[in-house]
Amino acid sequence: MPGLKKVYQDMQDFFLPLWPGEDKPLVLGEGKADGPALMLIGEAPGETEVLKRRPFVGKAGKNLDEFLLLAGLDRAEIFVTNAVKIRPTQIGPTGRARNRAPNKEELTLFTPWLMKEIKAVKPRALVTLGGVPLKVLCGPRAQVGALHGQWTESLAGVRLFALYHPASIIYRRSLAPVYEQDVLSLARSLQEKA
Ligand code: URA
């Protein structure tokens, strides 16, 4: 089984020639890369993540800190990554690039690399944030509205706990207590299994 360093090297070699003339740097995962208690998987990096070449910094980093605090975990104990490693953008009305959801082509390109990443990191559990990584790991019919807050089998062969994406709470305030309860029940379940 290739280690994470080799997977990331192969991934860089694969993606480098793909978008000629466009700067689409990869934002790789980081954290405890050998058998962490959990691997947290977001959707895709945003502007700050690309600038810093690190996942979950900037606004999303605040969400991550809140998650860690609620779950009683340390960032250094877990591995953090995204389903798609480039920032998907579209040009907004002001002419500036803004985030969009990853498209089918991006998901198809990145999914095999996510699977290799999981095999190399060997987390004891996966936690997905939002519908995008959940569908990647459990199939296109998986719905975060139905599966959040519970353990599910994943296509990667590692059990998965689905959460709403913390950013979605900004648009749907009613999800805030649901998200909080889900994180607390994840924390309880991890403690029981520890
Ligand atoms: N930043 C990330 O790295 N991932 C997300 O899902 C959102 C913001």
Side-chain angles (χ1 to χ4, degrees):
M1 191 61 60
L4 186 63
K5 246 184 155 163
K6 168 91 172 90
V7 171
Y8 280 171
Q9 190 54 58
D10 291 350
M11 187 162 87
Q12 310 255 30
D13 293 346
F14 175 87
F15 282 103
L16 198 64
L18 265 194
W19 291 290
E22 282 180 81
D23 186 21
K24 292 203 181 187
L26 298 182
V27 177
L28 304 177
E30 64 174 35
K32 182 169 160 50
D34 53 340
L38 63 87
M39 179 164 170
L40 192 68
I41 306 169
E43 186 174 301
E47 188 177 17
T48 316
E49 283 79 13
V50 168
L51 274 173
K52 302 209 166 151
R53 300 283 204 278
R54 292 185 62 200
F56 288 96
V57 288
K59 262 187 229 139
K62 217 177 136 241
N63 291 334
L64 176 62
D65 291 343
E66 280 161 14
F67 163 81
L68 292 169
L69 196 70
L70 261 179
L73 292 162
D74 214 73
R75 182 164 177 143
E77 290 180 89
I78 68 167
F79 192 83
V80 181
T81 195
N82 283 299
V84 165
K85 307 290 194 279
I86 54 155
R87 178 189 179 207
T89 54
Q90 64 192 6
I91 301 302
T94 58
R96 249 176 71 88
R98 64 179 187 195
N99 295 344
R100 61 165 167 77
N103 61 31
K104 224 173 160 182
E105 187 199 352
E106 288 155 348
L107 290 167
T108 304
L109 280 169
F110 279 100
T111 297
W113 294 102
L114 177 66
M115 295 299 182
K116 288 183 204 195
E117 196 181 13
I118 294 170
K119 289 214 160 57
V121 172
K122 299 187 192 71
R124 293 211 292 277
L126 306 174
V127 175
T128 49
L129 297 180
V132 170
L134 177 65
K135 283 180 194 295
V136 164
L137 286 158
C138 293
R141 294 155 69 110
Q143 295 288 342
V144 69
L147 294 175
H148 72 94
Q150 50 182 295
W151 290 104
T152 314
E153 275 311 309
S154 77
L155 299 168
V158 181
R159 69 201 179 107
L160 178 151
F161 195 93
L163 291 175
Y164 280 108
H165 199 295
S168 64
I169 292 163
I170 299 166
Y171 310 105
R172 284 175 68 190
R173 289 307 307 168
S174 60
L175 286 183
V178 179
Y179 173 79
E180 222 173 281
Q181 280 309 312
D182 288 351
V183 177
L184 290 174
S185 102
L186 169 67
R188 270 196 303 274
S189 159
L190 290 174
Q191 269 156 17
E192 280 161 18
K193 294 216 160 61

